[in-house]
Amino acid sequence: MGRKHSVYKMEDPIQLKDEGNTYFQANDYENAIQSYTNALKLSKDKKLLGILYRNRAACYLKKENYAQAASDASRAIDIDASDIKALYRRCQALEKVGKLDQAFKDVQRCATIEPKNQTFLETLRRLGSEIQEKLKVQFSTDSRVKQMFEILLGEETDKEKREKAANNLIVLAREDAGAERIFQNNGINLLMELIKTKNPEMILAAIRTFSGMCTGHKARATAILHLIGIEKICSIMAIDHEEIALATCNLFQTICDSLSGEDKKEHGNEEALVLDTTKDLKAILLALLEMLISQKVSSHGRDQALNLLSKNVPRTDVRSPDNSKTLFTIDHGLKKILKVAGQLVDLPDHLPMTENTQLIASILLNKLYDDLRCDPERDNFRVTCEEYVTGKFDPNNMEKNLHAIQTVSGLLQGPFDVGNKIAGLTGVMEMMVALCGSDREIDQLVAVEALIHASTKMSKATFIITNGVSLLKDIYKKTKNEKIKIRALVGLCKLGSAGGDDYALRQFAEGSTEKLAKQCRKWLCNPNIDVRTRKWAVEGLAYLTMDADVKDDFVEDEPALQAMFELTKSTDKTILYAVASTLVNCTNSYDKKEIMPELVQLAKFSKQHVPEQHPKDKKDFIEKRVKRLLKAGVISALTCMVKADSAILTDPTKELLARVFLALSEDPKDRGIIVAQGGGKALIPLALEGTELGKTRASHALAKIAATSNPEIAFPGERIYEVIRPLVSLLSTDKDGLQNFDSLLALTNLSGMTEKLRLKILKEKALPEIENYMFEDHEQIRQAATECMCNLVLCKDVQENYMADGNDKLKLLVLLCAEDDVKLQIAAAGALAMLTAAQKKLCTKLTTVTTQWLEILQRLCLHDRPEIQHRGFVIVYNMITADKDLAKTLIESEMLEILSVIGKQPDNPKRQPMIDAARSCLVAAMDYGLIKPFS
C-alpha cells in the first residue's frame, strides 16, 4: 500500500488521522507516523491534538524509539491529564529507558482512574518489586563501594585484600550503574586519595577506575576531567613508571573518545545536557605539547604524550575536509616536537627519553605533514622546520650545531621531503662535513647518522651520493672507534644497495658486499657492543641482504640470526623495520618485477641494462632459507614484534611482517611450527589493520594455516571468530585465484566445526561469494566452494535460501552431482543429502529443477565409489519418506531394481552404510504398500 498523501495533499486532519490508524493496523508504523505528523501540522483542535500525539506515541513504542514515545505521550498528557492511554504508553516507554520510579507514578495514576483494570494492577505490582530490587542493589553497591575504599585506604589491610578490592573497583567502574554509584559516593575524592598514597598499585587502580567511569559517557567524562584537572592527569602520566604512564594515556584516550563522541554508547537524553567540548579537547592538546619539552616528564610519560598526539590529531578519515587539529598542533607545537627529535642522548642535560622516543616523534612529524591539504600548509610546515634548524647554527656553540643536525636526522626519518630540502640548504652539508672531521665521538656519530638517513630514497639522494660516499669511506678507513665504523659502514651499504636484488648492478667491487656483511654479523654477535650500535649492524644487513650471496650466508649463521631475534625482544623497538626488511629479503617476499622475454631481447639489442636474477634467488634456495629461519626461532621473534606499541609498529612495518609470515607458511609441513609458536594468533591483528596489501598477505597466511591445521589450536578461544572476516575478504573478485582457493579451504574447515562459526560466516556476507565460486570454471575452486557449501547447508538460513523461488541454487547442486570430478560429486551429493533431510519441501522441488533429476540420481546410486553411492541412497530415502507420490515415482522407475540389487547384497563392513541406506529405502516403500516383502 503506497502513501496516499504523497500523491495528493490532504487538508483534513481527521481524514489523515484515520489514514494513520489504517496504516497502524497494517503494522506500517513508518507511514502511520507520517500521517499523524501531517495531521498535527494542520489541526488546531486541542482534543484531536491529544489523540494524534498519543497515537504517534504508540507508533514510536512499536518502533522501539522510547525517548520519542515518552515525549509524545507527555504532550498528550499536557492536553488532558487523565488521558489513560497516553499515561500507560508513557509508563511503558519510561520503563524501557530504565526510569522505573517515573513509570511507576504513571501506572499509579492509571490504576486510580480504572481501579479494576488487571493490566494496570499487574504492571503496578511488577514495577513496585523491580524498584525495590533496584534500591536493594543500589544500597548493596553503595555499601560495597564504601567497603572497597575503606580496604584500599585503610592502614592495616594486607596486600592480597587490597589487590582484590582494587580489581573489584575497576570491574565495577566498567558497568554504567557501578560507575554512577562510585561517582555519587564521593568516589572522585576517594580515588584522588588513592593517588596521593604514591603506591604504584593504588595509583594504577585509581586511574583504571577513572577510565571505566569515563568510557562512553560524555557528561561523566567532562565532570571527571574538570574535577581532577588536566594538569593533574598530566603530572600522573609524567611519573617515571611505565605502567602508570600507559594507564594514564588510556584514561586520556577514553576521555577524548567520550568528549568527541568517538565512543558511541546510548545514554538516553544526556546528550542534550553537555556543553561544547572543543575547548576541553584543545586544552588537552596544549597540555600534551607542553609535556614534550618539560624536564619533569619521565621518558615513558613523553612517549605516551607523543602517542596520544599521533592517535588524536591527524584525521582518521582522509575524506574529511577538517584538518584543523593538525594546523592547531603545528602552530602551537611543531617546534616542541622538533626539540624532542633533536635531543642528544649522549649529552648530559637532555630530556628524559626511552630508546623509542625519537622515532615516535619522527612518525608523529610524518603523520602531521601527511595530514596537510595544500601547498601553502606544507610550505608553512617546511619554513617552520628550516627556521628552527638554521636558527640553531652557532659557530661558538658546538652543542647547538649538533642539535640542529640531529633534528635534520629526525625529519629525514619522518617527512623525508622536508628533511631532504633542509639537508640541501647552504651550511647544512658543510656542517656535516665539519662534524665528520671532528675528533669528538659524538660529533662523528651525529654526522654519520644524518648522512645515513639522508641516503634513504635513492632518486632523491644523488646530492648525498656525490658527497657522502667519499666522506664515509674516509671515516670507515681512518676511525678506530667501532661505533663510528659500524655507522659509516651502514651508510656505505645503504648507498651501495641501490641496485636492489639486481645481480648485475653491484655498487661495490665483487666480494666486498660479502665482506661488509660478514663484518656486520660479527658486530651483531658481539655482546660487548651496546644495543644501539648493534642495531646499526642490523640496519646494514637490511640493505646488504638484497644480495643473494649475503642472505644465503646470513641464514647459515645461526648465532647471528638468534642475536638479531634477541634484539627484537629488547625494549628498543626502533629496530623493527630493519629486522622486518632483512627477513623480507631473506624469504624473497618482496614484490618481484615480471620480466618479459621479448623486452629482454629488445633491451640487449638496444644495449640497455637488463635486470638479472641471481642463481641463489631461485625457488629451492628460498625454501632452504625458510627452513633455516624457522629452525632458528623466527616465529617467536615475529610474534614479539607484532605486540609492539602501535606508534612504532607502523603500517609499512606490518606489511613487511605479513609478507614474511606468508612466505613462511608456504609449505604445509611448516605450518605446525608456526601454530605451535603462536604465529596464528599474531597474524590476526596484521590481517585486520594496516595497508591493503599487508592485510591481504596476512589474511592469505591465515587462510593457509586455517585450511590445514586444527583451528581450535591455531586460534584458541574467541580468536577463532576474528579469523573469519579476513578469510571472507579474500573471496572478493579482485583477489587472485590462489587466494580465493585457500580462503575457501579454510572456511570449509571452520564451517565444519560449530553452528556459531557457520552463523559468523553468514554474518560476514560470505554466502553470495561462495555461491558464485560454485559456478567457477576452475575445477579446484569450484570443488572447494561446493565443499564449503556442503557444511553451510546445516544452517537454517541457507536452507531457506535453497527453498526460495526464483533462483537456480538447487538446480546447480543437482547438476554438479553429474560432474566427472569425484570430490566435487561427493560434496554436491552430500549437500543434497543434508538439504533433503532437513527440508521435505526440497524433496519435491528437486524434481522440478531439471528434467534429468532421476537420471542423475540413478547415476549416483550406481557409482563405483561407495561414498557417492551412499549419498545417493540417502537422497532417495529422504525423497521416499517425504511424500508418497514421490515415492511412487521413484519405485516405478529403474530405481527399484538398483535398490533391490544393493539391498540384497550380503553384509560387508566396507560397503555397509550404503547397503543399509538401500535397505531403508525398500522398507519405507513397503510401509507405503508400494512393494511386497521379498522372501
Side-chain angles (χ1 to χ4, degrees):
M1 190 174 174
R3 286 190 186 177
K4 282 188 233 162
H5 42 79
S6 59
V7 182
Y8 63 93
K9 199 141 172 56
M10 247 191 235
E11 295 299 339
D12 179 9
I14 294 178
Q15 217 174 330
L16 278 165
K17 180 197 75 155
D18 293 342
E19 182 194 79
N21 296 349
T22 313
Y23 280 130
F24 184 84
Q25 275 146 8
N27 300 337
D28 182 354
Y29 306 119
E30 203 53 64
N31 275 334
I33 289 171
Q34 193 60 51
S35 301
Y36 295 142
T37 307
N38 289 345
L40 281 165
K41 287 175 190 161
L42 300 169
S43 175
K44 300 275 184 287
D45 175 5
K46 261 195 158 179
K47 193 177 174 195
L48 180 59
L49 283 172
I51 294 170
L52 288 167
Y53 277 126
R54 144 185 118 191
N55 287 3
R56 196 170 68 172
C59 296
Y60 284 128
L61 268 179
K62 291 284 189 192
K63 285 179 67 65
E64 296 181 12
N65 183 344
Y66 301 120
Q68 203 58 52
S71 156
D72 271 3
S74 296
R75 285 170 161 182
I77 295 162
D78 290 343
I79 294 168
D80 174 5
S82 61
D83 183 336
I84 198 156
K85 283 185 179 172
L87 281 165
Y88 191 62
R89 276 166 202 167
R90 186 168 73 177
C91 156
Q92 288 172 294
L94 290 168
E95 182 189 350
K96 289 290 188 190
V97 293
K99 297 182 175 167
L100 299 184
D101 38 355
Q102 292 174 17
F104 184 77
K105 280 180 191 156
D106 280 346
V107 77
Q108 221 172 6
R109 277 166 73 189
C110 292
T112 314
I113 300 166
E114 281 188 22
K116 292 205 171 99
N117 184 319
Q118 283 308 308
T119 310
F120 298 160
L121 296 172
E122 174 53 36
T123 310
L124 197 59
R125 194 191 54 71
R126 185 170 52 76
L127 285 176
S129 62
E130 276 178 27
I131 289 170
Q132 286 305 315
E133 193 51 43
K134 192 176 170 184
L135 287 172
K136 214 159 83 188
V137 170
Q138 219 167 2
F139 285 134
S140 76
T141 309
D142 287 356
S143 63
R144 268 169 62 212
V145 170
K146 288 198 178 94
Q147 199 185 351
M148 286 177 214
F149 279 119
E150 276 163 16
I151 294 172
L152 290 170
L153 293 166
E155 302 283 311
E156 278 77 63
T157 326
D158 69 352
K159 192 168 180 266
E160 208 169 291
K161 254 190 179 172
R162 196 172 272 166
E163 274 175 18
K164 198 174 171 192
N167 281 332
N168 288 344
L169 197 61
I170 296 165
V171 172
L172 191 66
R174 287 182 189 147
E175 301 159 22
D176 194 47
E180 198 51 44
R181 296 327 305 150
I182 298 172
F183 192 81
Q184 300 297 350
N185 280 287
N186 190 24
I188 306 291
N189 291 329
L190 292 168
L191 288 166
M192 293 309 287
E193 288 300 313
L194 283 185
I195 290 171
K196 282 181 194 160
T197 61
K198 296 216 164 82
N199 170 349
E201 293 302 321
M202 294 301 102
I203 297 175
L204 277 171
I207 294 296
R208 287 173 181 155
T209 305
F210 277 135
S211 289
M213 292 169 75
C214 292
T215 303
H217 200 297
K218 208 179 204 174
R220 205 184 298 131
T222 312
I224 288 174
L225 183 68
H226 287 265
L227 287 166
I228 312 177
I230 294 174
E231 210 173 307
K232 180 66 187 168
I233 303 177
C234 288
S235 71
I236 301 168
M237 193 159 89
I239 296 172
D240 191 10
H241 187 291
E242 191 172 356
E243 264 193 279
I244 292 175
L246 182 60
T248 316
C249 167
N250 288 339
L251 171 60
F252 258 137
Q253 190 58 54
T254 307
I255 291 174
C256 289
D257 287 346
S258 296
L259 294 188
S260 62
E262 286 297 314
D263 188 335
K264 302 265 188 289
K265 272 200 190 171
E266 280 300 314
H267 281 294
N269 285 347
E270 63 115 346
E271 295 306 317
L273 316 172
V274 177
L275 303 166
D276 182 25
T277 55
T278 38
K279 205 168 142 197
D280 285 332
L281 289 167
K282 272 191 176 161
I284 293 174
L285 267 187
L286 289 170
L288 292 173
L289 289 166
E290 277 311 311
M291 281 185 80
L292 298 185
I293 52 167
S294 161
Q295 200 73 39
K296 290 179 190 157
V297 175
S298 73
S299 57
H300 299 300
R302 188 165 282 97
D303 279 4
Q304 297 307 343
L306 286 163
N307 283 341
L308 282 165
L309 291 165
S310 248
K311 194 166 174 197
N312 296 290
V313 173
R315 291 169 291 175
T316 41
D317 182 3
V318 195
R319 289 168 303 197
S320 149
D322 178 22
N323 64 347
S324 55
K325 281 195 283 189
T326 294
L327 299 175
F328 179 83
T329 306
I330 289 170
D331 286 347
H332 294 85
L334 179 54
K335 290 186 174 170
K336 291 169 181 155
I337 304 168
L338 290 172
K339 181 171 179 177
V340 175
Q343 289 298 300
L344 296 151
V345 282
D346 298 318
L347 291 181
D349 50 358
H350 69 83
L351 294 169
M353 293 193 302
T354 67
E355 301 96 327
N356 306 318
T357 308
Q358 288 179 293
L359 183 62
I360 301 174
S362 290
I363 292 170
L364 172 59
L365 288 168
N366 195 38
K367 282 189 170 179
L368 294 174
Y369 188 69
D370 280 348
D371 199 43
L372 298 175
R373 295 179 58 223
C374 56
D375 286 342
E377 290 177 1
R378 288 183 202 99
D379 291 341
N380 171 50
F381 185 100
R382 195 194 69 249
V383 168
T384 308
C385 294
E386 282 176 6
E387 285 169 357
Y388 182 84
V389 170
T390 49
K392 291 276 173 210
F393 285 149
D394 180 347
N396 304 319
N397 185 335
M398 210 48 186
E399 290 191 4
K400 274 183 155 183
N401 296 334
L402 282 175
H403 182 70
I405 298 300
Q406 185 74 355
T407 309
V408 176
S409 268
L411 283 164
L412 286 164
Q413 291 171 82
F416 183 84
D417 295 346
V418 177
N420 200 36
K421 279 212 171 93
I422 295 176
L425 291 176
T426 40
V428 178
M429 196 64 201
E430 289 78 347
M431 180 58 72
M432 288 192 200
V433 175
L435 289 171
C436 283
S438 156
D439 297 333
R440 287 201 318 173
E441 177 186 289
I442 184 162
D443 297 349
Q444 290 187 323
L445 277 181
V446 169
V448 173
E449 285 189 15
L451 277 173
I452 294 172
H453 294 308
S455 57
T456 297
K457 298 193 181 171
M458 279 329 277
S459 56
K460 296 182 177 169
T462 44
F463 153 78
I464 295 289
I465 293 174
T466 44
N467 303 282
V469 173
S470 51
L471 259 177
L472 290 169
K473 276 190 175 162
D474 215 32
I475 292 177
Y476 185 66
K477 283 183 190 140
K478 283 182 188 162
T479 183
K480 296 276 181 289
N481 183 329
E482 294 269 304
K483 288 183 181 180
I484 311 285
K485 214 176 182 66
I486 291 186
R487 286 165 173 77
L489 174 102
V490 173
L492 289 170
C493 295
K494 222 169 173 180
L495 293 169
S497 66
D501 70 344
D502 181 354
Y503 187 33
L505 262 189
R506 291 285 186 89
Q507 230 76 358
F508 299 125
E510 189 66 56
S512 71
T513 323
E514 280 105 296
K515 258 189 216 149
L516 291 176
K518 201 170 174 187
Q519 185 57 58
C520 280
R521 296 197 328 254
K522 218 164 99 188
W523 279 323
L524 185 56
C525 295
N526 182 351
N528 302 325
I529 297 178
D530 63 299
V531 171
R532 256 170 72 203
T533 306
R534 283 163 66 202
K535 187 178 85 192
W536 282 105
V538 180
E539 291 273 353
L541 286 167
Y543 290 95
L544 292 168
T545 47
M546 287 182 184
D547 178 289
D549 288 313
V550 170
K551 53 183 132 178
D552 227 55
D553 292 345
F554 181 42
V555 295
E556 292 296 319
D557 183 350
E558 200 161 303
L561 280 181
Q562 285 174 342
M564 178 172 85
F565 296 157
E566 275 313 303
L567 282 179
T568 63
K569 295 169 190 172
S570 71
T571 48
D572 184 345
K573 296 297 177 197
T574 54
I575 194 172
L576 296 187
Y577 191 79
V579 174
S581 302
T582 307
L583 291 172
V584 163
N585 290 339
C586 290
T587 54
N588 285 48
S589 48
Y590 39 76
D591 287 327
K592 299 162 190 67
K593 290 191 184 77
E594 291 296 321
I595 301 168
M596 295 163 98
E598 308 83 78
L599 290 180
V600 173
Q601 291 310 315
L602 194 68
K604 281 183 177 162
F605 178 72
S606 58
K607 298 201 168 49
Q608 290 291 325
H609 169 69
V610 183
E612 292 174 42
Q613 191 190 30
H614 191 292
K616 287 185 181 173
D617 273 332
K618 295 200 163 57
K619 198 168 176 225
D620 47 341
F621 277 96
I622 300 172
E623 284 169 5
K624 264 191 208 146
R625 288 200 286 272
V626 165
K627 306 274 184 231
R628 284 270 174 191
L629 287 168
L630 286 166
K631 186 171 167 269
V634 67
I635 298 295
S636 61
L638 288 170
T639 51
C640 181
M641 289 161 80
V642 172
K643 289 180 194 146
D645 195 341
S646 60
I648 292 265
L649 191 68
T650 55
D651 286 352
T653 311
K654 282 191 212 161
E655 184 187 307
L656 295 180
L657 295 177
R659 285 171 182 274
V660 176
F661 263 122
L662 182 57
L664 296 172
S665 55
E666 210 48 60
D667 182 351
K669 291 200 227 35
D670 296 331
R671 293 173 200 164
I673 302 172
I674 297 175
V675 168
Q677 296 179 359
K681 289 180 287 198
L683 271 165
I684 297 172
L686 295 178
L688 294 172
E689 281 174 19
T691 64
E692 278 313 311
L693 210 95
K695 288 193 292 194
T696 303
R697 295 282 192 282
S699 300
H700 196 181
L702 275 177
K704 285 182 182 295
I705 289 169
T708 54
S709 47
N710 177 351
E712 286 175 321
I713 295 172
F715 317 108
E718 291 297 303
R719 286 200 185 86
I720 195 164
Y721 299 101
E722 292 174 40
V723 176
I724 289 173
R725 181 170 297 162
L727 294 181
V728 174
S729 73
L730 293 179
L731 294 178
S732 79
T733 42
D734 59 350
K735 303 289 186 279
D736 67 44
L738 186 59
Q739 291 166 345
N740 303 152
F741 177 67
D742 283 334
S743 163
L744 286 165
L745 290 185
L747 288 168
T748 304
N749 201 2
L750 289 166
S751 59
M753 291 173 68
T754 65
E755 181 68 2
K756 198 172 166 193
L757 278 167
R758 287 189 282 276
L759 290 171
K760 174 75 174 156
I761 292 171
L762 298 186
K763 195 177 166 198
E764 292 296 343
K765 302 190 173 51
L767 196 63
E769 306 276 10
I770 296 167
E771 285 169 348
N772 285 341
Y773 288 115
M774 289 169 70
F775 285 97
E776 177 73 40
D777 290 336
H778 191 291
E779 272 183 23
Q780 283 174 296
I781 291 182
R782 186 173 51 178
Q783 177 203 316
T786 311
E787 285 176 350
C788 190
M789 184 58 76
C790 182
N791 286 338
L792 289 173
V793 295
L794 290 165
C795 272
K796 260 279 194 298
D797 294 356
V798 180
Q799 294 165 15
E800 300 282 341
N801 255 355
Y802 274 94
M803 289 198 292
D805 293 328
N807 66 54
D808 286 338
K809 291 172 186 176
L810 192 63
K811 180 179 180 176
L812 175 68
L813 265 188
V814 177
L815 295 175
L816 290 176
C817 290
E819 290 286 330
D820 293 334
D821 177 356
V822 172
K823 283 185 172 170
L824 182 60
Q825 272 183 303
I826 291 176
L832 265 186
M834 286 195 278
L835 281 169
T836 49
Q839 301 290 348
K840 290 196 158 127
K841 188 180 157 190
L842 286 173
C843 296
T844 321
K845 188 175 176 182
L846 189 152
T847 61
T848 61
V849 290
T850 165
T851 51
Q852 302 160 296
W853 70 271
L854 188 55
E855 186 192 329
I856 291 171
L857 208 45
Q858 287 170 352
R859 279 178 58 190
L860 287 179
C861 295
L862 287 168
H863 205 282
D864 50 4
R865 294 285 290 262
E867 60 267 55
I868 294 179
Q869 269 182 299
H870 178 216
R871 285 163 173 73
F873 287 131
V874 170
I875 298 168
V876 174
Y877 175 76
N878 293 338
M879 292 172 78
I880 290 176
T881 51
D883 180 85
K884 190 172 179 180
D885 291 340
L886 262 182
K888 200 160 176 261
T889 311
L890 285 164
I891 295 302
E892 284 170 0
S893 73
E894 283 149 33
M895 189 59 83
L896 177 57
E897 196 182 330
I898 301 170
L899 291 170
S900 306
V901 170
I902 302 290
K904 285 176 182 168
Q905 287 182 1
D907 287 357
N908 173 348
K910 284 186 181 164
R911 301 166 64 81
Q912 203 57 42
M914 172 194 82
I915 296 169
D916 288 345
R919 288 174 185 169
S920 306
C921 294
L922 291 166
V923 171
M926 276 193 293
D927 291 346
Y928 280 134
L930 295 173
I931 53 173
K932 298 270 185 294
F934 49 84
S935 48

